[in-house]
Amino acid sequence: MQEASRALADPLFAGLPGDCEISFEFFPPKTEKMEEQLWDSVVTLAPLAPRFVSVTYGAGGSTRERTHSTVARIARETSIPAAAHLTCVEATKSEIAEVAHAYWEAGVRHIVALRGDSPTADGRFTPYPDGYASAAELVEGLQKIHPFEISVSAYPETHPEAASAATDIDFLKRKLDAGASRAITQFFFEPETFFRFRDAVAAAGITAEIVPGIMPVSNFAAITRMSNMTGTAIPAWMAHLFEGLDDHPPARQLVAATIAAEMCRRLYAGGVRDFHFYTLNRAELSYAICHLLGKRPVSAAQEKAA
């Protein structure tokens, strides 16, 4: 009967008004070809009028210059608000201040402040001498440098290093109390994961915006490795849907778009109106999902009026 009712129901995405807000994340390119692919993605997604786009920052400052160059170009050549990732790893407070000043001078007003992952083999984070010991300290320090808008991270399935879900949420509260405007979550694959986390955050007295991070799965093997590192659960049904598609990239893309779009639609039905997409520097999947959610390109005249 449940399947029969679906056969008679309206299309899942019919009539969505496109009233959600979106943002996109990119990583800094390592080669000229990758830079071309990244810029093509920025140009493709820009007409959807995202709230902002962010560019990641490698461990230990390994991509510091490329991140700055990419963010500065977005700020300079597009009308999209650009956000730069900044971490505590292997940098003194004065070095971080220098980077923050450079971003401000480049017109960047938004920072995604993260503790960052250790570049050492054991994976254990150790505060750098005269550096920030946590993301909460980094947020507080950045607020003293310039009045940045600051986003931080959140973990619906609990940070792998957290003692418990409760302590993880408490630390999230510390970051927000230090001056962050919103939290963007680690990726997850079932709507209920986000809803449970949203309820737990609200019960802890947190009222700041919590934006779900959406990772369209373009490569199931790669996402499995990433999920193992982050403690993200992959549901059995999802593995079943990708089974046998390793040698069929176009089909895999279609399945990936379907899965991510349906999850976003269920999040939308649960009241979510803000989505942050981890693009992996590819625009197709994110653009398709946004289209299904009712987002349409904004003309230059509409953008200027807004």
Side-chain angles (χ1 to χ4, degrees), residues 42-228:
V42 172
V43 171
T44 297
L45 295 169
L48 296 178
R51 295 174 70 184
F52 63 89
V53 298
S54 66
V55 182
T56 61
Y57 188 84
S62 59
T63 65
R64 180 180 299 172
E65 293 303 320
R66 290 197 302 273
T67 296
H68 185 276
S69 175
T70 302
V71 173
R73 184 182 179 188
I74 293 171
R76 183 175 64 251
E77 299 184 22
T78 79
S79 60
I80 311 170
H85 286 220
L86 196 54
T87 76
C88 306
V89 178
E90 294 193 345
T92 65
K93 293 178 182 178
S94 60
E95 287 172 334
I96 289 175
E98 183 180 344
V99 173
H101 282 306
Y103 279 131
W104 190 267
E105 290 298 316
V108 177
R109 298 294 183 264
H110 187 172
I111 298 290
V112 180
L114 310 165
R115 188 202 69 181
D117 297 321
S118 173
T120 60
D122 62 10
R124 295 177 63 87
F125 176 81
T126 302
Y128 200 69
D130 196 30
Y132 294 109
S134 68
E137 288 188 10
L138 175 59
V139 171
E140 187 176 4
L142 288 170
Q143 291 286 33
K144 295 177 181 177
I145 297 170
H146 289 293
F148 286 108
E149 176 183 0
I150 299 178
S151 297
V152 294
S153 59
Y155 298 85
E157 294 169 272
T158 307
H159 192 284
E161 297 176 28
S164 68
T167 57
D168 198 31
I169 289 176
D170 181 63
F171 193 70
L172 171 61
K173 190 173 189 303
R174 287 175 55 194
K175 292 188 285 188
L176 294 165
D177 289 345
S181 303
R182 73 181 58 80
I184 302 170
T185 76
Q186 177 64 271
F187 62 86
F188 55 91
F189 296 116
E190 294 191 289
E192 190 58 32
T193 300
F194 179 80
F195 293 141
R196 283 194 298 266
F197 180 68
R198 187 176 64 179
D199 290 345
V201 165
I206 295 174
T207 59
E209 178 185 16
I210 308 295
V211 180
I214 308 299
M215 175 76 82
V217 182
S218 57
N219 185 313
F220 188 71
I223 208 65
T224 298
R225 291 192 296 271
M226 293 174 65
S227 297
N228 289 337

